[in-house]
């Protein structure tokens, strides 16, 4: 009771520190609490007798991260570790777990934030982003801050969320310690430099305040395996689950986590490191007239050119800097024109790979120059399609092979081709990427509505496995779509069994090419508007997984129409309704 009262008062502690204090005291008996109270009082008196300023306990660096794929979280955690090693007090938190009203009490704030989709804030940064842009945001003249913005220059609104945070904090009177640093996909070196520079810049501010405190806001320890140190797992199964006549090649992949100790929750993603296909590597090297066995250096490592292109460099995804650099090397007027237009460059990137550049726009380049142009290989994230309650020391994925024919040559996605080609026993480097913004309701009696066309159905297979293991009594409803019933009904027998057992209350399917007019999941949502609205009014949680570019937007518009039609809401009120569901974690998306 005392802690509840204290947390409601103005406090020198951050919200994260208050939460930690609550967690600690909840485990103590009355006698232990009395002892701790006396100990802390004595410590405070001792500090004052020694001449320590009263502000010491209040001064710390708050580090907040907004991260969609885990990169921002990784940079923020590394920054916190460096700050603590210097003796600084640190409060590290996800923006999604931060109390925005604490902001007016901050004096040192370091932000690491990515940009998601077309300039959108990542899920865990949405609330803070909205708060800063609102009239409720306070003046922040006492605040010093710095922003590290992560993004992908292949997208039009590069690092937009970081730019937004910088602009709003500045407008509210806060003072920038350093200019906002905008980082592309190959962010590691720039992020490392920023960490060192910003910690050096805050030093006189912390010394002025007399702070050198021990942090109680540090992040909990994670698994020993991570993006930087993945686990070498074994592929058990890579089985095609679309029919012979399907235009799609979708694989069900099972991976053995053995005794790794890796654990995951339904809704999480699996990060997969992969090797580029040997045939693709050979095509690039021969097309450029280079020597596969030539010795090259990547970072601090020496290896052959073939090894570097196989395991260290991105070959299947272009980016604007590479298109521009290649255009200048080739001197090709057409490519130069494309490279100078953002939209043309974006469209070009979607339809070409490095091997296409090599074939269509000849250049003379050394092995070292080639490697300098290429981005580092990055892992791909796949929504996990299993629950450990069901599969234990395994993890399952639903992988669509990215395949296209360009200029007479077959082109594949890097990771999807690696997984689709994997034979039993193939080793794959993996790690778990948590997704706290795509979670089942805590109460298993809560009904859930799942919208997952194509491979977007993957996490809902995991959801159902988990709900069955929980003995969940809440209703479950799945919307699934794909081109053809006979060829593309992913996990059909499993869904039918769930229906038969009563674990899945209902399923609505949309097979777009099985009739003259195309039918998609958004059409099924509109058809079931009355019932869907009743479920939402009864407290159902709504989940959407799959393509962000079109499907998620179309589904959202269909939901707005449901609220207008069945709820009698105006357009603006309907938008506000689903925004409130999102804020209450009743409307969650895993889109890509």
């Amino acid at each position: 009771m005392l802690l509840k009262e204290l947390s409601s008062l103005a406090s020198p502690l951050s919200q994260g520190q208050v939460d930690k204090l609550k967690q600690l005291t909840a485990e103590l008996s009355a006698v232990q609490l009395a002892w701790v109270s006396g100990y802390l009082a004595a410590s405070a008196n001792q500090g004052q007798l020694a001449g320590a300023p009263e502000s010491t306990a209040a001064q710390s660096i708050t580090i907040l991260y907004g991260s969609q794929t885990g990169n921002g979280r990784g940079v923020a955690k590394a920054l916190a570790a460096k700050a603590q090693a210097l003796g600084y007090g640190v409060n590290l938190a996800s923006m999604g777990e931060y109390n925005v009203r604490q902001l007016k009490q901050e004096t040192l704030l370091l932000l690491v934030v990515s940009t998601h989709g077309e300039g959108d804030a990542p899920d865990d940064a949405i609330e803070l982003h909205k708060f800063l842009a609102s009239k409720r945001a306070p003046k922040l003249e006492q605040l010093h801050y710095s922003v590290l913005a992560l993004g992908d220059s292949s997208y039009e609104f590069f690092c937009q969320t970081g730019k937004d945070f910088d602009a709003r904090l500045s407008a509210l009177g806060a003072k920038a310690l350093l200019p906002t640093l905008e980082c592309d996909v190959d962010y590691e070196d720039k992020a490392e430099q920023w960490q060192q520079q910003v910690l050096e810049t805050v030093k006189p501010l912390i010394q002025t305040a007399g702070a050198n405190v021990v942090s109680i806001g540090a992040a909990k320890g994670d698994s020993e395996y991570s993006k930087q140190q993945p686990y070498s797992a074994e592929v058990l199964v890579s089985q095609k689950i679309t029919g012979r006549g399907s235009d799609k090649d979708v694989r069900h992949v099972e991976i053995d986590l053995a005794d790794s100790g890796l654990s995951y929750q339904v809704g999480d993603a699996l990060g997969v490191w992969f090797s580029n296909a040997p045939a693709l590597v050979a095509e690039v090297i021969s097309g450029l007239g280079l020597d596969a066995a030539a010795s090259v250096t990547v970072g601090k490592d020496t290896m052959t050119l073939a090894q570097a292109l196989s395991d260290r460099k991105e070959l299947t995804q272009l980016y604007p800097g590479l298109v521009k650099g290649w255009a200048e090397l080739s001197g090709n007027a057409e490519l130069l024109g494309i490279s100078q237009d953002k939209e043309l460059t974006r469209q070009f990137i979607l339809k070409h790979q490095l091997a296409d550049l090599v074939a269509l726009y000849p250049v003379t380049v050394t092995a070292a120059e080639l490697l300098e142009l290429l981005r580092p290989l990055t892992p791909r994230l796949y929504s996990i399609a299993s629950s450990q309650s069901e599969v234990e020391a395994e993890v399952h994925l639903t992988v669509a092979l990215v395949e296209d024919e360009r200029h007479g040559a077959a082109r594949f996605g890097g990771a999807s081709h690696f997984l689709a080609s994997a034979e039993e026993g193939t080793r794959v480097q993996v790690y778990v990427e948590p997704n706290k913004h795509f979670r089942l309701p805590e109460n298993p009696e809560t009904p859930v509505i799942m919208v997952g066309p194509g491979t977007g159905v993957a996490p809902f297979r995991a959801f159902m496995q988990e709900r069955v293991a929980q003995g969940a009594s809440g209703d479950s409803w799945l919307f699934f779509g794909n081109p053809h019933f006979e060829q593309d009904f992913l996990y059909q027998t499993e869904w039918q069994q769930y229906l038969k057992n009563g674990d899945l209350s209902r399923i609505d399917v949309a097979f777009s090419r099985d009739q003259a007019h195309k039918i998609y999941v958004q059409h099924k949502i509109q058809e079931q508007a009355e019932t869907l609205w009743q479920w939402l009014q009864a407290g159902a949680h709504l989940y959407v997984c799959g393509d962000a570019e079109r499907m998620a937007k179309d589904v959202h518009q269909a939901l707005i129409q449901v609220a207008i039609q069945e709820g009698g809401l105006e357009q603006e009120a309907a938008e506000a309704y689903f925004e409130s569901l999102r804020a209450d974690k009743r409307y969650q998306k895993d889109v890509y």
Side-chain angles (χ1 to χ4, degrees):
M1 184 67 180
L2 177 61
L3 272 174
K4 287 184 180 179
E5 293 173 359
L6 285 174
S7 63
S8 66
L9 299 174
S11 166
L13 298 180
S14 70
Q15 185 60 42
Q17 289 171 326
V18 170
D19 291 342
K20 290 285 184 180
L21 191 57
K22 287 180 180 179
Q23 183 179 347
L24 172 63
T25 55
E27 301 170 358
L28 302 179
S29 67
V31 173
Q32 290 172 323
L33 282 170
W35 184 89
V36 168
S37 175
Y39 172 79
L40 292 175
S43 296
N45 289 333
Q46 198 170 31
Q48 289 174 0
L49 288 171
E54 291 183 18
S55 61
T56 295
Q59 182 70 15
S60 63
I61 302 173
T62 294
I63 301 173
L64 301 179
Y65 60 86
S67 180
Q68 195 73 27
T69 63
N71 291 339
R73 180 166 56 90
V75 172
K77 287 177 64 177
L79 175 62
K82 288 182 174 68
Q84 287 181 300
L86 293 172
Y88 299 163
V90 175
N91 177 32
L92 172 66
S94 161
M95 292 179 181
E97 298 172 352
Y98 180 73
N99 184 347
V100 295
R101 299 197 179 279
Q102 173 69 22
L103 196 59
K104 61 186 176 184
Q105 298 181 33
E106 303 287 2
T107 56
L108 290 173
L109 178 65
L110 305 180
L111 303 173
V112 182
V113 66
S114 63
T115 294
H116 180 54
E118 297 300 325
D120 300 324
D123 290 341
D124 54 356
I126 291 174
E127 291 301 325
L128 182 58
H129 188 265
K130 286 179 59 181
F131 177 74
L132 284 173
S134 73
K135 293 180 180 179
R136 296 182 297 123
K139 292 296 182 182
L140 299 172
E141 287 93 346
Q142 84 292 350
L143 180 67
H144 288 81
Y145 74 94
S146 184
V147 179
L148 177 81
L150 297 171
D152 184 341
S153 60
S154 302
Y155 289 88
E156 181 180 357
F157 300 100
F158 177 57
C159 289
Q160 187 61 49
T161 305
K163 295 174 185 176
D164 291 347
F165 274 117
D166 179 39
R168 286 304 300 156
L169 289 171
S170 177
L172 293 168
K175 303 169 188 66
L177 294 161
L178 297 170
T180 290
L181 180 64
E182 298 172 14
C183 295
D184 210 335
V185 174
D186 49 346
Y187 63 88
E188 284 88 350
D189 290 344
K190 290 180 73 173
E192 176 76 23
Q193 294 169 11
W194 175 78
Q195 290 168 1
Q196 295 175 358
Q197 191 175 0
V198 78
L199 290 177
E200 186 64 28
T201 305
V202 302
K203 186 180 295 184
L205 297 171
I206 288 184
Q207 288 175 342
T208 298
N212 186 18
V213 300
V214 177
S215 168
I216 59 172
K220 295 178 182 178
D222 293 327
S223 164
E224 63 178 298
Y225 298 109
S226 63
K227 178 182 177 182
Q228 291 72 28
Q229 293 182 305
Y231 173 68
S232 180
E234 183 178 318
V235 174
L236 300 173
V237 172
S238 179
Q239 176 184 1
K240 187 177 179 182
I241 55 174
T242 42
R244 291 182 181 179
S246 175
D247 293 332
K248 299 184 177 185
D249 183 342
V250 177
R251 302 289 173 132
H252 172 72
V253 179
E254 299 182 0
I255 296 171
D256 184 14
L257 299 178
D259 55 356
S260 66
L262 276 172
S263 63
Y264 57 86
Q265 295 186 49
V266 295
D268 287 345
L270 191 75
V272 177
W273 289 95
F274 62 95
S275 298
N276 287 307
L280 181 61
V281 172
E283 182 183 349
V284 169
I285 292 174
S286 64
L288 292 170
L290 299 174
D291 179 7
S295 180
V296 297
T297 301
V298 180
K300 298 178 182 179
D301 302 323
T302 300
M303 64 197 72
T304 68
L305 176 60
Q307 289 173 320
L309 294 182
S310 173
D311 300 324
R312 302 291 288 273
K313 292 294 181 177
E314 192 69 70
L315 301 188
T316 58
Q317 293 184 349
L318 302 181
Y319 72 101
L322 174 55
V323 175
K324 184 173 184 292
W326 205 270
E328 292 169 352
L329 282 171
S330 69
N332 183 280
E334 177 193 23
L335 191 59
L336 281 167
I338 291 171
S339 70
Q340 291 164 7
D341 184 292
K342 284 187 177 180
E343 183 55 31
L344 289 178
T345 298
R346 186 179 177 190
Q347 294 303 317
F348 184 87
I349 285 170
L350 293 173
K351 299 174 183 177
H352 295 80
Q353 294 186 1
L354 175 64
D356 300 316
L357 282 180
V358 171
L360 298 172
Y361 308 99
V363 302
T364 299
V365 65
T366 67
E369 289 170 338
L370 173 65
L371 295 178
E372 185 66 26
L373 278 171
L374 300 180
R375 278 178 167 175
L377 192 72
T378 55
R380 307 294 194 257
L381 293 177
Y382 290 94
S383 300
I384 291 175
S386 57
S387 164
Q388 283 191 303
S389 300
E390 167 96 6
V391 303
E392 298 181 343
E394 294 179 10
V395 61
H396 297 177
L397 307 177
T398 310
V399 179
L401 176 63
V402 177
E403 182 178 6
D404 196 8
E405 185 173 317
R406 296 171 187 161
H407 311 290
R411 296 288 179 238
F412 301 98
S416 66
H417 188 247
F418 177 84
L419 290 170
S421 306
E423 298 179 352
E424 183 179 343
T426 299
R427 308 301 297 192
V428 57
Q429 310 297 310
V430 302
Y431 62 97
V432 172
E433 185 57 53
N435 185 357
K436 295 180 181 179
H437 300 279
F438 204 71
R439 291 282 188 254
L440 279 170
E442 291 184 10
N443 184 352
E445 295 180 4
T446 303
V448 297
I449 303 167
M450 304 168 286
V451 183
T455 56
V457 80
F460 303 134
R461 180 178 186 264
F463 276 24
M464 288 307 302
Q465 289 182 358
E466 183 71 12
R467 297 269 281 184
V468 170
Q470 291 176 340
S473 57
D475 289 330
S476 301
W477 185 356
L478 175 69
F479 287 89
F480 174 76
N482 238 352
H484 299 286
F485 170 81
E486 292 187 355
Q487 304 293 332
D488 305 309
F489 196 167
L490 307 183
Y491 304 113
Q492 177 185 356
T493 57
E494 294 185 22
W495 300 122
Q496 289 173 333
Q497 190 62 48
Y498 284 135
L499 274 172
K500 182 180 179 181
N501 295 345
D503 300 311
L504 184 64
S505 308
R506 61 182 299 166
I507 182 170
D508 280 86
V509 292
F511 294 102
S512 59
R513 307 302 197 276
D514 279 351
Q515 59 283 312
H517 60 288
K518 295 177 182 176
I519 299 176
Y520 298 108
V521 287
Q522 60 266 26
H523 301 132
K524 290 294 180 179
I525 286 172
Q526 290 171 331
E527 283 180 16
Q528 302 299 331
E530 181 180 357
T531 306
L532 192 144
W533 184 251
Q534 290 171 354
W535 278 50
L536 290 176
Q537 295 304 104
H541 284 218
L542 175 63
Y543 302 87
V544 180
C545 181
D547 172 54
E549 195 71 22
R550 292 185 58 184
M551 182 279 296
K553 293 178 181 178
D554 291 341
V555 164
H556 183 75
Q557 288 307 311
L559 292 169
I560 294 295
Q561 289 305 310
V562 168
I564 292 172
Q565 175 185 322
E566 300 299 327
L569 304 179
E570 297 294 331
Q571 176 78 26
E572 188 175 335
E575 291 279 5
Y577 172 75
F578 283 102
E579 178 59 27
S580 70
L581 290 190
R582 186 202 59 75
D584 293 339
K585 298 184 179 180
R586 286 185 52 204
Y587 181 20
Q588 301 182 37
K589 301 178 186 178
D590 179 12
V591 295
Y592 37 82

